[in-house]
Amino acid sequence: MSERGPATAPSHEPPPETPSAPQTAAAPQTAATPKAAATPQTVAVPARAPSAPLTAARRTGLLVTFILGGLSALPPLSMDMYLPALPQVTGALHSPAATIQLTLTACLAGMALGQLVIGPMSDKWGRRTPLLIGMVVYVLATATCALAPSAELLIGFRLLQGLAGSAAIVIARAVVRDLYDGVEMARFFSTLMLISGVAPIIAPLIGGQILRFADWRGVFVVLTGVGAVLTLVVWRSLGETLPPEQRQTGGVGSALRTMRGLLADRVFAGYTLAGGFAFATLFSYISASPFVVQEIYGASPQAFSLLFGLNSVGLIAAGQINGKLLVGRVRLDKVLGFGLAVITAASVSLLLMSTGVFGEVGLVPIASALFVLMSAMGLVLPNTNALALMRTPHAAGSASALLGTSSFLVGAIASPLVGIAGEDTAVPMALVQLVCSLLAVACFALMCRPWQNRDPAV
């Protein structure tokens, strides 16, 4: 792959802004104030002025933060609220666990493939219209999931749900790139994790409580309501962040050439693949943990939900340490490398425990290793996104699509592998996690080559 980024940047440095690029260099920003706050025609403004005496820029920044946090929370809500119901769905639809896990895979694959379409669309037509269309289709698809009479139809409806829901993921990341630069973008991604990270905590808890009063279909009814509310908020309060003069021109061929140019940048591709394999490590846990924790170790759906929420607290805490304490003081590459090392170490310990090297272990050691693994994701995911997007100011939508697609596609492949040996062993989960974490380390070291980074800020 090429040593130079698609904007002819020196190796491993963010591409310089050139006259041909649609975005000009910005002055340093504060984490609370978007760089586009001075251009009200391109930034959302609240429909009603809040009573608190905030400045217009701060009001806008807070509003955008909460809206983007809600959009980023949609994928974990769509998947994690459904997790406690997986064993119930297996029995209700008379299908094996591996087949029901494909409902997760289908949603994830849809989110991966949809981003490849919606990302370039948002570069060409702006962020707002593709986002609203995707959200409306998401609501309709989620409502249909609640009516699915068979596992096969549920898989199909979940695929459509993922395709539509991908608009929330890819456009939220592109809006962040529209509004922020440099280390401030990394800080904002960490702040976004604080908001969106609440979803993995409350989603399984809500799902577990729903199962006390309704069957698994009730989970999708609640998700339909969540999607409808978020769609209304976006329609009323999120304005356009990509001005017409900064939009891409051309058709499908131009979009494909842009993506090819992005992938030809070795460093961008390295961060993209490292983030993708790290996400696959995370998603193998998401896919397998309902069966590992509940079927192998005998935890109730409510106990599983509490453990899952505790792990999400660790992820949020690490993300805040990253954004508030490390970004701007420690190079992003160093933090990313440390996070990948911790994930690898946790995966090794899980594999050793699940294969019986330490004898028969209970739930506490397994849960502790999973907590460490999940927490380290707070150091990996925001920094891979920020470091990759720093190189692509001219095509944030397409770059965001490639970042999301790689993560969700690799995760979709890893998901069925964790159940390939049945429901009575955690070895496949631990093995998939270890392989994916080692691949993430390899992509980071061999393609990104952080020791060649000449920018002390990142």
Side-chain angles (χ1 to χ4, degrees), residues 335-348 372 376 380 437 441 444:
V335 179
L336 174 56
F338 176 77
L340 290 173
V342 173
I343 290 171
T344 304
S347 300
V348 170
V372 172
V380 172
S437 62
V441 170
F444 174 63

Side-chain angles (χ1 to χ4, degrees), residues 19 40 46 48 64 74 84 93 100 122 261 278 362 382 397 400 443:
R48 296 181 179 88
V64 169
L74 197 61
L93 298 183
I100 297 304
S122 73
S400 177
C443 291

Side-chain angles (χ1 to χ4, degrees), residues 278-357:
F279 185 83
T281 304
L282 170 64
F283 197 76
S284 64
Y285 156 75
I286 293 174
S287 181
S289 60
F291 298 98
V292 170
V293 174
Q294 295 180 84
E295 301 296 330
I296 298 178
Y297 293 97
S300 66
Q302 289 72 35
F304 163 74
S305 299
L306 289 173
L307 287 174
F308 196 93
L310 180 63
N311 289 339
S312 298
V313 169
L315 186 149
I316 293 174
Q320 295 317 293
I321 291 172
N322 177 69
K324 305 299 184 184
L325 299 179
L326 301 180
V327 172
R329 296 180 176 90
V330 183
R331 280 180 45 195
L332 299 185
D333 275 327
K334 288 186 176 180
V335 179
L336 174 56
F338 176 77
L340 290 173
V342 173
I343 290 171
T344 304
S347 300
V348 170
S349 66
L350 281 167
L351 183 60
L352 293 176
M353 285 188 286
S354 61
T355 53
V357 171

Side-chain angles (χ1 to χ4, degrees), residues 28-52:
Q29 307 291 321
T30 64
T33 306
K35 67 181 179 183
T39 56
Q41 73 273 17
T42 64
V43 180
V45 177
R48 296 181 179 88
S51 57

Side-chain angles (χ1 to χ4, degrees), residues 22 36 39 41-42 123 126 178 240-248:
T39 56
Q41 73 273 17
T42 64
D123 281 339
D178 292 341
E240 182 58 65
T241 61
L242 186 66
E245 64 271 15
Q246 294 184 5
R247 297 177 188 175
Q248 298 288 314

